[in-house]
Amino acid sequence: MSGRFIGIGVGPGDPELVTVKAVKAIKNLDVIVCPEARDGKGSFAFDIAKGYIPENVKILTLAFPMVHNRDVMEAAWKKNAKIIEKEVKAGQNVGFLTLGDPTVYSTYMYILPYLDTNIPVETIPGVTSFCTVAASQNLPLVLWEESFGVVPLKKGGAAVEKALDVYDNVVIMKPSHDARVLAEILESRSLADKFVLISKCSTDEQQVSTDIKTLKEGSVPYLSTLVVKRKGLK
Amino acid sequence: MSGRFIGIGVGPGDPELVTVKAVKAIKNLDVIVCPEARDGKGSFAFDIAKGYIPENVKILTLAFPMVHNRDVMEAAWKKNAKIIEKEVKAGQNVGFLTLGDPTVYSTYMYILPYLDTNIPVETIPGVTSFCTVAASQNLPLVLWEESFGVVPLKKGGAAVEKALDVYDNVVIMKPSHDARVLAEILESRSLADKFVLISKCSTDEQQVSTDIKTLKEGSVPYLSTLVVKRKGLK
């Protein structure tokens, strides 16, 4: 009998912010894919889930190069999909743990188009970092008839500027990419006191800053999320 | 000793999509606030959490009128905050269950500004409906350097149009508000085959449609979420 391939959101960092469904699925895994990239993202997801992972699980370390050459990345997705397929067809339940939610910026999603369509696939949603950041401050991300946008910070910040033009509430993912440019954007729009930056939200290492200096000094950790509220934080 | 006031996200509908943290918090509640509004939203959150709620919990039914007069609503928030405050000060753990995540369009957030600042408040994030909708289709909500926006559908759909101008991926909340107008917007932008509409996602009553007719007929249930992917669903 065939196993299944399951994308599992493990939430933002606190092992208790994993869902009951994800815990059950993890306890039932035979194989866990451990994506290897420069950023070590995969291993943090593994750390979060550690307490739920069966002892005799097989770890399948797969390389997912994060490069600007799409062909190189596609070749890796294709190759990794075949490896996963082989395990599932041999009856194994193969899990891919993703930080936060699997539908929001996860490597897991790149594999799916390359899998044999006969492979049973399930995606278990998780708690996102941006909801956790807002919750940690008892702050609404969005109220009433407001809208919000989620954008990754790219060098130069054009996408961030566009989002700030349109929305009252903007979540900026990966603010570490170019924190100084982000500081300039926020200052130029009189938003220097209307954001909260949180790193490793919901973990023991959580750091919170509402000080523009943190961005200016460019010392923002990798696993950070920034929420801008144009109407202010209160 | 004082109790606490806890906003608890119970996720989109499947009781297994509640987090371990939320389950623990619910099991520890003395009082549960049951918001009463025309839409019955509060009772669905209660249904999701039912299996985790202690037997002898006190149900505090509070009216939250959803009207266009802000003064009427504010008076209710203030009045309800005082009732909650009294329970917490008497040592009770008071929980406010919210569908999905408490930071995304929840009534819970309206109460917080009116609570005595000495009241301990905690917000436990939850899985959003929009992540669940995307996950149920094994579909990425957002990839790579893409952005996404979340907008509630208002009569006329101007906010939706603005979001579709800017983003590749747009989540439209409450598409039941004016499904026919939404159908027109999607058709005029050649997006009639690039959306998925899901009602009561992750429950036994889940309905999925990718057919523009469902919107045109205007028979979209209240608890629905629509995801538009400009690049298509595959």
Side-chain angles (χ1 to χ4, degrees), chain A residues 16 18-21 24 101 103 105 110 123 131 138 141-142 144-148 150-152 154 163 167, chain B residues 16 18-21 24 101 103 105 110 123 131 138 141-142 144-148 150-152 154 163 167:
Chain A
E16 292 205 339
V18 180
T19 65
V20 172
K21 194 180 180 83
K24 279 193 184 174
D101 175 81
T103 75
Y105 302 113
Y110 291 105
T123 307
C131 287
N138 297 318
L141 203 55
V142 63
W144 202 233
E145 294 185 327
E146 291 177 355
S147 302
F148 78 100
V150 178
V151 288
K154 288 186 278 189
Y167 291 132
Chain B
E16 292 205 339
V18 180
T19 66
V20 173
K21 195 180 180 83
K24 279 193 185 176
D101 176 80
T103 76
Y105 302 113
Y110 291 105
T123 307
C131 288
N138 297 318
L141 202 53
V142 63
W144 202 232
E145 295 186 328
E146 291 177 356
S147 302
F148 78 100
V150 178
V151 288
K154 287 185 278 188
Y167 291 131

Side-chain angles (χ1 to χ4, degrees), chain A residues 31-108:
Chain A
V31 178
I32 290 184
V33 175
C34 218
E36 255 195 352
R38 278 170 314 178
D39 55 28
K41 210 175 157 188
S43 61
F44 184 44
F46 192 89
D47 287 347
I48 295 168
K50 213 161 46 192
Y52 308 123
I53 295 175
E55 265 188 31
N56 51 352
V57 84
K58 175 177 168 185
I59 307 291
L60 201 59
T61 304
L62 300 179
F64 285 87
M66 298 291 255
V67 293
H68 283 283
N69 184 334
R70 185 151 176 121
D71 290 343
V72 171
M73 292 196 297
E74 259 181 29
W77 301 333
K78 210 176 279 187
K79 189 181 155 197
N80 292 335
K82 291 301 145 205
I83 296 170
I84 289 165
E85 225 174 84
K86 206 178 142 192
E87 295 281 353
V88 173
K89 285 184 175 168
Q92 306 291 291
N93 285 321
V94 182
F96 194 115
L97 308 182
T98 77
L99 193 57
D101 175 81
T103 75
V104 176
Y105 302 113
S106 92
T107 306
Y108 159 74

Side-chain angles (χ1 to χ4, degrees), chain A residues 177-191:
Chain A
H177 273 207
D178 202 346
R180 287 187 189 87
V181 163
L182 186 54
E184 281 167 25
I185 293 172
L186 294 177
E187 280 192 328
S188 73
R189 290 170 178 256
S190 307
L191 296 170

Side-chain angles (χ1 to χ4, degrees), chain B residues 92-163:
Chain B
Q92 307 291 293
N93 286 321
V94 182
F96 194 116
L97 308 181
T98 77
L99 194 57
D101 176 80
T103 76
V104 176
Y105 302 113
S106 91
T107 307
Y108 160 74
M109 282 293 174
Y110 291 105
I111 297 176
L112 299 190
Y114 300 99
L115 283 179
D116 184 331
T117 53
N118 290 324
I119 295 276
V121 172
E122 187 184 5
T123 307
I124 301 177
V127 173
T128 63
S129 66
F130 53 85
C131 288
T132 310
V133 164
S136 74
Q137 307 300 299
N138 297 318
L139 205 68
L141 202 53
V142 63
L143 280 180
W144 202 232
E145 295 186 328
E146 291 177 356
S147 302
F148 78 100
V150 178
V151 288
L153 179 62
K154 287 185 278 188
K155 295 274 173 202
V160 171
E161 298 254 24
K162 210 157 73 170

Side-chain angles (χ1 to χ4, degrees), chain B residues 57-73:
Chain B
V57 84
K58 174 177 166 183
I59 308 290
L60 201 59
T61 304
L62 299 179
F64 285 87
M66 299 290 255
V67 293
H68 283 282
N69 184 334
R70 184 152 176 121
D71 290 343
V72 171
M73 292 196 297

